[in-house]
Amino acid sequence: MDDSRPEEDVSMVLLVSATIIAVFVIVGALAPDWFAAVADRVFMYSIHNFGWFYLLSTFGFLAFAIYLAFSKFGKIKLGQDHDEPEYSTITWFSMLFSAGMGIGLVFWGVAEPMSHYLSPPEGAPGGSPEAARLAMRYSFFHWGLHPWGVYTIVSLVLAYFQFRKGEKGLISAAFIPLLGNLARGKVGKAIDILAIIATVFGVATSLGLGALQINGGLRHVTGIPNSTTAQVIIISIVTVLFLISATTGLDKGIKLLSNSNLALAVVLMLFVLLMGPTSFILDTFTLTLGGYLQNIVSMSLRLTPFTQGTWVGDWTLFYWAWWIAWAPFVGTFIARVSKGRTIKEFVLGVLLVPSVFGFIWFAVFGGTGLHMEIFKHVPLAETAKNNVEATLFSMLEQLPLGTLIAGIATLLIITFFITSADSAIFVLGMLSSEGKANPKNKVKLIWGVLQSSIAIVLLISGGLGGLQTASIIAAIPFAVIIIGMCLSVMLALTKDQREIRAKEKKRMEKLEKLLSRE
């Protein structure tokens, strides 16, 4: 490992990336209308010209992850051969799930199926049984294997180079087999800066969604009105909370909150499953899983060039961009907590367990919402159309103890907000501190303030639309970086496999010599 990069380069990465983010914050705060207009133009350009690229690359990342798990490389450890996992399997799942999905699952668990039910894809009539089937299938699709395929690739590559090859915990370190010393110089620093910018925009999108739904929950429970002012206050208060959590370290604040999050999410989900239409939910889960697996390839490559429809851009492309923008953050974080696992164990764990949990979550919450809409005539689809952040709470109030459960759901959103944000500033600290496993609190504080500031600016300048636009724009260049990471890790794994075979051959030759002497 080459530690030749001077210490001042670390400050340069921090300075350049923080300055770029600060400029976005200032421009967005001073000229929100202009900022929103420019962002919208860039958004439309990227959707019209790069939609095919998002679909092909995301599908390719998933296929590559599955290949690595079942290839000859599957037995290679993300660490030295004698290393054991640092965290228990349950804690590991809790941490990667809280970092990787969190707020989004709670926000969209009811709202997305209801939105698709009213305005379904594939030309189905809104409000029909076919619309309901497609609503659930595409919710599974958007939150299933594809996002975790993106996360799996980035985190696997980072963990491999950090723990097996002894490189620093930086995105740029993954390019050493491909770029050589360029990855340790200015090109490498540019890659790390781009990863930081993508992370900030991706996480800011999630924090903005969290603020919208915390506001919706508080309005439902306490009567606080939905307003940008209230959302700014919510972000400011929660910023203080996640900064406190982040400065306590990975093994205290983040680990404790991640385990608490998962437990609270399971309790909420079980309550809705048992108090809601249980048989309908289980039937919906079974039907939707079958439809998802049967149509996964066609959905993965679906565009509408002949009808010029906007549904794919508004939903699928937004999600794929969101996952790609989150990938440097989630990938770095999952890599940090995954030392000692084999490639096969890692891929199957990261890819399958959170995906299955997400399927169950959408079957429970989305299925309950559709049952209420179709059979009890509760207008949840209209709520999702006009007041998306209130959809979950409108559904919960139809169940026994609705107000209490709405309060628990609001608490869950707050804790997910905290874990997502403190995990993100932990990762941003690593990326801007030469990959240090435990970045200084001062650096984490800087990123905490900037991250929350960009979320506030996006809310002020464009609301939910502004948040979606930010993700799309930030994701394009980082998708190219992930493709480079795939090529780089293949070079390194192939070389690693040759070395393993050579060692095995020498060991067998020594053993044969010993046996021949006897």
Side-chain angles (χ1 to χ4, degrees), residues 50-67:
F50 294 100
W52 61 271
F53 175 69
Y54 281 125
L55 293 186
L56 287 175
S57 58
T58 304
F59 185 60
F61 299 147
L62 174 60
F64 185 56
I66 295 171
Y67 161 75

Side-chain angles (χ1 to χ4, degrees), residues 334-389:
I334 293 176
R336 172 67 179 80
V337 298
S338 299
K339 182 179 180 180
R341 301 184 185 275
T342 65
I343 286 177
K344 185 173 184 178
E345 175 190 9
F346 177 88
V347 170
L348 294 180
V350 176
L351 199 58
L352 296 181
V353 175
S355 295
V356 171
F357 187 93
F359 296 156
I360 297 171
W361 183 276
F362 271 96
V364 170
F365 286 87
T368 301
L370 285 169
H371 186 272
M372 290 178 179
E373 174 80 26
I374 296 168
F375 300 107
K376 295 187 177 181
H377 309 293
V378 180
L380 293 176
E382 281 298 321
T383 303
K385 180 181 179 180
N386 300 317
N387 191 12
V388 64
E389 61 269 18

Side-chain angles (χ1 to χ4, degrees), residues 206-323:
S206 191
L207 299 186
L209 293 176
L212 287 171
Q213 196 161 39
I214 291 170
N215 195 178
L218 293 175
R219 180 178 180 274
H220 186 84
V221 176
T222 66
I224 294 175
N226 281 336
S227 67
T228 303
T229 302
Q231 290 149 18
V232 170
I233 293 171
I234 288 167
I235 291 178
S236 302
I237 293 172
V238 179
T239 297
V240 174
L241 296 177
F242 73 65
L243 287 175
I244 293 171
S245 173
T247 53
T248 61
L250 187 64
D251 290 323
K252 293 180 182 178
I254 296 176
K255 178 181 176 180
L256 178 63
L257 278 172
S258 295
N259 285 328
S260 301
N261 273 354
L262 188 61
L264 197 57
V266 169
V267 168
L268 181 63
M269 186 170 66
L270 288 175
F271 177 87
V272 176
L273 173 63
L274 296 175
M275 294 296 104
T278 307
S279 296
F280 179 86
I281 289 169
L282 297 176
D283 289 347
T284 299
F285 173 80
T286 305
L287 172 70
T288 307
L289 183 61
Y292 169 73
L293 295 175
Q294 184 179 359
N295 294 278
I296 187 170
V297 175
S298 61
M299 290 190 296
S300 299
L301 303 176
R302 180 177 176 266
L303 285 171
T304 54
F306 304 117
T307 61
Q308 295 294 302
T310 61
W311 193 95
V312 174
D314 292 340
W315 287 99
T316 302
L317 296 183
F318 158 61
Y319 275 126
W320 281 194
W322 192 12
W323 306 137

Side-chain angles (χ1 to χ4, degrees), residues 134 149 425:
L134 288 170
I425 61 176

Side-chain angles (χ1 to χ4, degrees), residues 135-156:
M136 290 303 302
R137 189 205 301 166
Y138 273 89
S139 297
F140 274 36
F141 174 58
H142 291 150
W143 294 82
L145 294 173
H146 286 72
W148 288 102
V150 176
Y151 295 161
T152 297
I153 288 300
V154 175
S155 54
L156 185 152

Side-chain angles (χ1 to χ4, degrees), residues 115-198:
S115 298
H116 298 338
Y117 179 67
L118 203 61
S119 303
E122 300 187 11
S128 65
E130 178 63 15
R133 284 193 290 272
L134 288 170
M136 290 303 302
R137 189 205 301 166
Y138 273 89
S139 297
F140 274 36
F141 174 58
H142 291 150
W143 294 82
L145 294 173
H146 286 72
W148 288 102
V150 176
Y151 295 161
T152 297
I153 288 300
V154 175
S155 54
L156 185 152
V157 173
L158 291 174
Y160 174 80
F161 282 104
Q162 185 175 359
F163 299 126
R164 189 162 185 91
K165 295 302 182 184
E167 299 292 346
K168 295 172 181 176
L170 297 169
I171 303 292
S172 59
F175 284 83
I176 291 173
L178 202 61
L179 300 178
N181 285 330
L182 288 174
R184 296 187 173 100
K186 292 181 179 179
V187 174
K189 289 194 285 291
I191 290 171
D192 292 331
I193 290 168
L194 184 58
I196 289 171
I197 293 169

